[in-house]
Amino acid sequence: MNKRSFIKSLAALGIGSASIFQSKAKPLMLENLDFSAPDIWDQIRAGYRLKPDYINLENGYYCFLPEETLEKYIEHIRAVNYQGAFYMRTVKVADKANSAAKVAELVGADPEEVVLTRNTTESLDLIISGYPWKAGDEAIYSNQDYGSMQTMFELASKRWGIKTVKIDIPLHPESDEEIVEIYRKAITPNTRLMMVPHIVNITGHILPVRKIANMAHEHGVEIMLDGAHAVGHFTFDLHELDCDYYGSSLHKWLSVPLGCGMLYVKKDKIGKLEPLLAPFDLKLKTMDYLNNTGTHPVATDLAVLNAIEFQEKIGGKRKEDRLRYIQRYWSDQVRDIPGLTVNTPKDPSRSCGIANVGVDQVTPAEMSKILMDKYQIFTVAIDGAGVRGCRISPNIYTSTVELDKFVSALKEMAR
Ligand SMILES: Cc1ncc(COP(=O)(O)O)c(C=O)c1O
């Protein structure tokens, strides 16, 4: 469908352009997308309700929903509310398992290896706190891991007397082997588990996790990947990655409503973990044993299916290519400009939609404030773990016109 017929079809639905983004906006159903249409990404952009007061380059926290998914989510809230306890007592469990199975399919895992959680925090904390630690065991993680995941290891250290070992991830590695070697050097005979970011949240650096997993396994060490920003962002297959544990936040790049994550545990490792919250039956040793979170908003679990449906309409690989393209669209223009520092590797295979850039003469906090106040561009400041700049995370609705504005703002700030 070209732009004109698309707008005509909106008119036929009674959605005039002025009213598209009113609170009663009807979802723009992205059926039968023609990806050869030159304005295809404009059509996709039109499926989102965007605030006109700033350019949102901070989707890394939460990728809010396209209208199509939002409307279906609201329908689920209504349906659950209508059925009340009847829904909860009859189909809730099967529905949640069905959504988890769909997520498993998306990430290349078996349904019995995946459960829905509230977020990455819950998924990874469950592993760190439920691990069969003995005093003197060692765990490795990095300076660029997420703060509260690092402090969960510190808590484990207090509780079980384990030793934590922190490595530094280079911002611009020469090769995969350089990174693998850094992790390898931190291993001792007491190392049990290493946490590795699949993609570093502050720079967008994608790590060679399969190679790190191979090396870890050769030393008898297990590997837990923090994939908070990976699912729905770029394509991968968990069995191919061969990690032991994996957590992700589905409200990030998969655009599931807030409060939804996933946990993967390799089949033969499930029995060795203790749950974060007690299940009803302590004898059960399945993923359900690990996953009793009590009563919670079930409409979110139902909307997982709609988010995956939306993702599949775009196509996972096509979305990945688009996200990488728009990141490179802006970062290639500023990488060599004096006064600016791009904190994301240049090799395209080491990043996707997220990157980080700093203006040398101002602090990250000042930079994000100037971007917002002067240029109406919303980002987040990062100042730590050797990274000084703003994280830039556009989404598939981001236009190159918006990125041109961002690039000219950066150029002006560098001057
Ligand atoms: C790398 C990484 N891990 C974990 C988290 C925690 O995610 P959540 O707050 O969804 O649990 C985040 C959040 O941004 C993150 O970037």
Side-chain angles (χ1 to χ4, degrees):
M1 184 190 284
N2 64 30
K3 195 169 185 182
R4 189 169 301 160
S5 51
F6 180 70
I7 290 168
K8 257 194 198 162
S9 70
L10 291 186
L13 285 168
I15 310 170
S17 57
S19 66
I20 283 177
F21 296 138
Q22 302 300 309
S23 57
K24 291 273 180 217
K26 293 213 175 110
L28 303 177
M29 304 301 281
L30 298 178
E31 300 298 347
N32 308 319
L33 287 173
D34 170 7
F35 280 90
S36 63
D39 64 346
I40 182 65
W41 294 104
D42 294 336
Q43 291 184 42
I44 288 167
R45 179 179 168 87
Y48 287 81
R49 183 179 177 209
L50 300 175
K51 283 188 83 185
D53 22 5
Y54 54 80
I55 295 170
N56 183 4
L57 298 184
E58 173 33 357
N59 290 276
Y61 194 142
Y62 163 46
C63 289
F64 62 86
L65 318 188
E67 290 293 290
E68 178 172 332
T69 313
L70 177 63
E71 290 301 326
K72 289 176 182 164
Y73 173 48
I74 293 168
E75 278 170 29
H76 293 313
I77 296 174
R78 288 190 192 286
V80 171
N81 191 63
Y82 180 57
Q83 298 176 69
F86 179 77
Y87 175 80
M88 303 299 275
R89 291 202 182 277
T90 56
V91 269
K92 178 203 77 170
V93 173
D95 275 356
K96 186 168 181 174
N98 184 36
S99 292
K102 255 314 210 183
V103 173
E105 194 183 318
L106 184 78
V107 296
D110 293 341
E112 59 273 31
E113 295 173 311
V114 171
V115 280
L116 296 182
T117 59
R118 282 170 290 187
N119 44 46
T120 309
T121 305
E122 180 180 315
S123 301
L124 301 190
D125 279 3
L126 194 153
I127 303 301
I128 302 166
S129 71
Y131 202 76
W133 298 113
K134 286 198 281 317
D137 283 349
E138 293 182 15
I140 299 170
Y141 54 85
S142 83
N143 60 336
Q144 291 178 21
D145 276 303
Y146 194 67
S148 66
M149 255 73 262
Q150 296 191 39
T151 49
M152 193 63 185
F153 275 107
E154 285 171 28
L155 264 184
S157 172
K158 274 196 197 165
R159 287 177 182 161
W160 294 285
I162 67 168
K163 182 176 166 203
T164 57
V165 178
K166 199 161 158 177
I167 59 109
D168 284 342
I169 298 177
L171 288 183
H172 301 284
E174 293 288 321
S175 65
D176 290 351
E177 286 62 38
E178 181 186 341
I179 302 176
V180 175
E181 191 55 14
I182 292 171
Y183 279 100
R184 194 192 62 74
K185 278 191 185 146
I187 293 178
T188 76
N190 295 327
T191 311
R192 299 284 166 263
L193 179 67
M194 56 168 70
M195 170 168 75
V196 178
H198 193 175
I199 165 169
V200 175
N201 72 318
I202 51 180
T203 60
H205 185 173
I206 299 174
L207 296 197
V209 289
R210 173 65 206 241
K211 289 184 181 171
I212 301 172
N214 286 351
M215 179 279 296
H217 290 150
E218 278 164 19
H219 290 79
V221 174
E222 293 187 324
I223 180 165
M224 174 177 87
L225 296 183
D226 181 342
H229 289 269
V231 176
H233 183 171
F234 51 92
T235 52
F236 61 91
D237 180 295
L238 273 182
H239 285 163
E240 257 173 40
L241 295 186
D242 199 29
C243 62
D244 302 288
Y245 312 103
Y246 193 98
S248 184
S249 292
L250 304 181
H251 46 240
K252 291 190 185 286
W253 295 90
L254 194 58
S255 278
V256 171
L258 278 169
C260 191
M262 60 148 280
L263 168 68
Y264 161 86
V265 180
K266 207 188 246 178
K267 232 171 273 173
D268 58 337
K269 314 278 164 159
I270 297 170
K272 71 190 274 186
L273 301 167
E274 293 292 351
L276 195 59
L277 303 177
F280 287 94
D281 180 358
L282 277 177
K283 290 189 292 299
L284 205 70
K285 289 283 179 180
T286 65
M287 286 296 271
D288 293 333
Y289 165 80
L290 297 175
N291 190 224
N292 174 33
T293 48
T295 308
H296 63 92
V298 294
T300 313
D301 303 336
L302 291 167
V304 166
L305 297 181
N306 308 115
I308 292 178
E309 198 185 320
F310 184 83
Q311 176 86 359
E312 284 172 350
K313 270 189 222 171
I314 309 279
K317 185 68 176 79
R318 196 181 280 114
K319 178 174 171 183
E320 169 181 344
D321 291 346
R322 175 68 182 176
L323 288 173
R324 185 171 286 113
Y325 168 79
I326 53 178
Q327 185 260 113
R328 298 302 294 222
Y329 179 85
W330 72 263
S331 65
D332 281 351
Q333 294 185 59
V334 302
R335 193 173 280 276
D336 298 324
I337 293 181
L340 299 177
T341 301
V342 175
N343 297 306
T344 303
K346 192 172 182 182
D347 174 351
S349 69
R350 294 191 197 280
S351 64
C352 191
I354 304 176
N356 182 302
V357 61
V359 178
D360 299 347
Q361 295 305 318
V362 297
T363 66
E366 285 163 346
M367 177 183 169
S368 73
K369 185 162 175 6
I370 297 170
L371 281 171
M372 187 63 180
D373 294 352
K374 186 164 176 203
Y375 301 102
Q376 292 74 53
I377 297 174
F378 183 56
T379 61
V380 60
I382 306 290
D383 198 352
V387 182
R388 284 172 56 84
C390 285
R391 178 178 72 183
I392 308 303
S393 49
N395 200 349
I396 47 170
Y397 61 74
T398 307
S399 68
T400 50
V401 174
E402 289 177 316
L403 294 173
D404 288 340
K405 288 184 187 158
F406 174 56
V407 168
S408 66
L410 284 178
K411 286 181 177 169
E412 243 179 69
M413 288 167 83
R415 282 200 291 273

